Amino acid sequence: YKELRLYSHIKSDIENEKHKIMHFDLSDDWSSIESSIDTKNTIAFCVLGDNAQNIFLTISLRAYFSDIQIIAIASNKENANKLSMAGANKVI
């Protein structure tokens, strides 16, 4: 990939010295990200540890970015179905 951006909702992750990680809150306004990416050529990986937050993130991304490819991680088949219904293009 040409560019990789890491976002975390855990503030202590930002201090990671190996990777540049930006903080986000699930209620954040996505417009600041929208202006810096090409949504038709972007893949978002939703890999939060909490299933409910991962589903909420997927719903939020799909609502704001209709063209973005979303790949999400699920811990079981029920969550996989929920993530697909939330708008994920692929669930792992």
Side-chain angles (χ1 to χ4, degrees):
Y1 297 102
K2 181 179 173 185
E3 185 177 352
L4 175 69
R5 294 183 191 182
L6 299 173
Y7 292 88
S8 177
H9 66 291
I10 302 169
K11 289 190 178 192
S12 62
D13 287 346
I14 298 170
E15 298 162 6
N16 182 318
E17 293 183 19
K18 187 174 181 182
H19 302 287
K20 180 181 178 190
I21 300 174
M22 294 166 269
H23 181 261
F24 80 94
D25 184 293
L26 290 175
S27 63
D28 277 351
D29 178 14
W30 299 98
S31 61
S32 62
I33 296 171
E34 181 182 30
S35 62
S36 64
I37 64 170
D38 174 7
T39 58
K40 293 184 189 301
N41 294 307
T42 297
I43 301 172
F45 292 90
C46 298
V47 292
L48 298 174
D50 180 270
N51 290 319
Q53 288 182 332
N54 220 22
I55 293 166
F56 183 78
L57 176 60
T58 302
I59 291 169
S60 298
L61 287 170
R62 178 56 62 219
Y64 204 88
F65 304 108
S66 61
D67 295 331
I68 201 167
Q69 291 290 311
I70 300 173
I71 299 174
I73 191 166
S75 59
N76 57 47
K77 186 162 180 67
E78 180 183 352
N79 286 325
N81 290 337
K82 289 177 183 178
L83 286 161
S84 292
M85 291 173 37
N89 298 92
K90 178 142 180 94
V91 180
I92 300 170

